[in-house]
Amino acid sequence: MKRFLFAILLLLTTVSSWAQTNITNFVVDGIHYSVYGFSGPVNYGDTIPVAVIKPVGDSRAGEVYSGDIVIPETVTYLGFTCKVIAIANQAFSNRSYELEWVKGLASFTAPYNTSPTGNSSLTSVTIPNSVITIGEEAFADCTGLTAITIPNSVTEIGYGAFSDCTGLTSVTIGNGVTEIGSSTFSGCTALTSITIPNSVTTIGGGAFSGCTGLTSILIV
């Protein structure tokens, strides 16, 4: 009986601690996550939406993901099932501008890395069919990426999401995508062809600017 009561108390403490936290960052199997688009009390058994985020730490140190990354559809944390529905801005990129412009002046403060060297150590990423949004510059400057498959679950690809991925030669865009943001594939110099599904209704300015090897864009 004492063990049972202790287990119940531990469960209630866990639920209460999460409910009192507005934004929770956590790590599972080397991938960093944050609660995404969710607020209010959490009930045990709820599925919590989360986003993959940049490794938590000092951005100025250039901490990035490396190797072959497989993002799962769901992860379990503190007994809760968390569904991965987004890849956050600059999650895999070595960029971290966060510029603060001073109105009326030519100067600005740049507290983080304004001269990224690129993330050549990331060689592949598997995006699960639960992700809806790929954030701004999520994979920018990931020069080690050679291929990317965007699953059918994704509806929006953010500004500059794959910009300056100079090693990217193959892109597969799922038929759920409706918007390709500005500069999404800009500077992908190794890209020679791309097929865009007819689900896409918006392509932002400069989406393929600087793709000097691109000779074919097919809309199907």
Side-chain angles (χ1 to χ4, degrees), residues 108-130:
F108 61 91
T109 59
Y112 295 116
N113 180 17
T114 58
S115 300
T117 57
N119 180 8
S120 60
S121 57
L122 182 70
T123 52
S124 72
V125 173
T126 301
I127 302 174
N129 201 39
S130 57

Side-chain angles (χ1 to χ4, degrees), residues 121-145:
S121 57
L122 182 70
T123 52
S124 72
V125 173
T126 301
I127 302 174
N129 201 39
S130 57
V131 170
I132 299 171
T133 301
I134 297 176
E136 297 182 1
E137 298 183 332
F139 297 93
D141 295 311
C142 290
T143 56
L145 278 181

Side-chain angles (χ1 to χ4, degrees), residues 135-215:
E136 297 182 1
E137 298 183 332
F139 297 93
D141 295 311
C142 290
T143 56
L145 278 181
T146 58
I148 194 76
T149 297
I150 300 167
N152 294 335
S153 59
V154 172
T155 60
E156 179 184 359
I157 307 172
Y159 165 84
F162 298 95
S163 58
D164 298 312
C165 290
T166 54
L168 197 61
T169 60
S170 174
V171 174
T172 301
I173 302 176
N175 57 23
V177 174
T178 60
E179 181 178 352
I180 297 175
S182 300
S183 302
T184 293
F185 296 101
S186 65
C188 293
T189 53
L191 195 62
T192 58
S193 66
I194 192 166
T195 299
I196 300 174
N198 59 15
S199 59
V200 174
T201 57
T202 302
I203 299 177
F208 300 98
S209 64
C211 294
T212 53
L214 191 61
T215 57

Side-chain angles (χ1 to χ4, degrees), residues 56-108:
V56 176
D58 190 344
S59 298
R60 287 163 288 191
E63 186 178 358
V64 293
Y65 295 104
S66 62
D68 303 325
I69 302 293
V70 178
I71 304 171
E73 287 195 14
T74 61
V75 293
T76 301
Y77 181 69
L78 294 179
F80 290 89
T81 298
C82 303
K83 185 176 183 180
V84 182
I85 67 167
I87 298 174
N89 295 354
Q90 300 180 346
F92 290 86
S93 174
N94 196 26
R95 295 181 183 179
S96 188
Y97 292 110
E98 300 187 18
L99 301 180
E100 182 181 45
W101 294 96
V102 180
K103 186 176 181 180
L105 300 177
S107 63
F108 61 91

